[in-house]
Amino acid sequence: MKAGHTITAEYLAKAYFRRGISALSAKQYDQALDFLRKARDYNPKDGFVYYNMAEALIFQKNFSEAEKSLNQALEIMPRSAEVFQRLGLVYEKQKKWDLASTAYQKAYEINQSPGLKEAIDRVTELKKR
């Protein structure tokens, strides 16, 4: 691939992304991460790549790396309720109650779903313990 061949890079990024999503759906998390990292290498400005990398990392219970990946996704997609919701989950799994509450609140401001309200209430109760 020669410098300036952005069409080739975009094609490769999309191909690796699709393979990563397929592996993620098949619960092949190591393989999903390999493909998604390659997709990221070809298109580092795709927030969905970072989001899906975080999904694989969550299933592997690698919450600190999932947190990093979700923060990368937020830099690219700062108004994504889904990213904030997943970030809330990652913080919750790490017992970072205040951060979880803040992330869920931000997600709820964007998308007022009953599931997010439940998550906010759950973390509020956990903070009291």
Side-chain angles (χ1 to χ4, degrees):
M1 189 167 84
K2 295 180 183 175
H5 282 119
T6 57
I7 293 172
T8 304
E10 288 174 16
Y11 175 79
L12 289 170
K14 287 178 184 176
Y16 282 123
F17 181 78
R18 282 193 299 273
R19 292 185 74 183
I21 296 303
S22 292
L24 190 59
S25 296
K27 300 180 181 179
Q28 298 169 339
Y29 305 120
D30 288 334
Q31 189 176 40
L33 280 170
D34 288 342
F35 287 130
L36 291 167
R37 285 182 178 129
K38 288 176 183 174
R40 176 200 58 202
D41 292 344
Y42 284 106
N43 187 4
K45 298 198 184 303
D46 186 344
F48 293 104
V49 171
Y50 294 100
Y51 175 86
N52 284 288
M53 285 173 56
E55 286 290 302
L57 290 161
I58 289 168
F59 283 111
Q60 292 181 327
K61 299 187 184 338
N62 188 343
F63 301 119
S64 63
E65 287 301 312
E67 179 182 341
K68 290 176 190 175
S69 192
L70 288 167
N71 280 313
Q72 285 290 118
L74 271 180
E75 286 183 25
I76 299 164
M77 306 183 314
R79 297 278 307 148
S80 171
E82 292 82 9
V83 175
F84 278 115
Q85 183 174 4
R86 277 296 182 245
L87 192 55
L89 173 68
V90 165
Y91 288 140
E92 188 176 347
K93 293 291 187 183
Q94 297 177 86
K95 298 182 174 138
K96 297 178 179 178
W97 309 127
D98 290 332
L99 292 172
S101 181
T102 300
Y104 284 139
Q105 287 285 353
K106 287 181 180 179
Y108 190 74
E109 289 170 12
I110 299 166
N111 177 22
Q112 297 177 0
S113 73
L116 284 168
K117 180 70 173 119
E118 290 172 16
I120 292 166
D121 293 343
R122 181 179 62 246
V123 170
T124 301
E125 283 302 311
L126 290 168
K127 281 172 45 174
K128 292 178 184 177
R129 294 182 187 171

